[in-house]
Each structure stands twice: as C-alpha cells, then as structure tokens.
Amino acid sequence: MSDEKLVGIVLVSHSARVAESVAELAQGLAGGGTAVPVAPAGGTEGGGLGTSAELIAAAAASVDRGAGVAVLTDLGSAVLTVKALLAEGDELPAGTRLVDAPFVEGAVAAVVTASTGADLAAVEAAATEAYGYRKV
C-alpha cells in the first residue's frame, strides 16, 4: 500500500494551533488505516494569526502523492488566499482543489474517506456532505 496514490489534505486556519489540532483529530479518528498525508497550514510565518500563501503552498507540496490535494479552510480570508494561489496556476500541485466544507467535520470526513483510497471527487463529496451533519 505504500505505493498507493492517496489524496492529500491541507487544513488552512488563521491559527497554527487550530490547524494542527484539527489535523491531529482527523488523523486520530481515521483510525489505523492507510496514513493519509495531512498538513496543517495555519497562521503566518512569524507565528501570528492570519494566513500565508507560502505556508499553504508548502503544505500542499508536502502532501501531494499524485491523486490530488483537497484544501479545507476555516474563514473568509483563508478562502481568498487559496483562491489566489489557484488562480496563479503554478503555486499549487496539479489537481489541487478548494473544498467547500465545514472545517472540523469536513476535515474528519475528508481524511477518513481518503484513508480508503478514494479519489479526489469522493473526498470532496464526503467533506461537503459534512454540512448536513445535524447536532440537534
């Protein structure tokens, strides 16, 4: 299975600690299956709150295994930063997709689905479906 092409997941938050914690949670809940490449991209290079195009691009490159990269974001300017990177055309790996999903629930669904070897469309669909998870 080590040669299997897996979808990579990038979690973009305004906070490095939030991105790292959500990555840890999603990977933990995915169980003992195939290790999905997940990278947090939170905060700025200086450790402050915000988003960094450079950190996002580096995270995407680090998880690229040839099956696409799903990028989930927390808040508005993170979305704008990822959209700007996608518009550049050469900043992110081929097959990188911004996924419209809730950050925590979508990350868990994406990582669990990717761990099954699912393709990028299936990972995106699972993350997007997390909007429907009702709590009451």
Side-chain angles (χ1 to χ4, degrees), residues 44-67:
T44 63
E45 287 90 344
L49 294 177
T51 56
S52 161
E54 291 78 15
L55 291 177
I56 295 166
S62 77
V63 300
D64 182 21
R65 300 292 185 274

Side-chain angles (χ1 to χ4, degrees), residues 39-125:
T44 63
E45 287 90 344
L49 294 177
T51 56
S52 161
E54 291 78 15
L55 291 177
I56 295 166
S62 77
V63 300
D64 182 21
R65 300 292 185 274
V69 176
V71 181
L72 285 80
T73 62
D74 61 357
L75 302 170
S77 64
V79 173
L80 295 176
T81 303
V82 173
K83 284 184 175 182
L85 285 167
L86 287 167
E88 292 286 325
D90 61 353
E91 296 295 315
L92 296 173
T96 297
R97 189 176 298 175
L98 175 60
V99 175
D100 182 13
F103 193 60
V104 175
E105 295 91 336
V108 171
V111 172
V112 168
T113 303
S115 73
T116 69
D119 65 11
L120 182 58
V123 170
E124 179 178 30

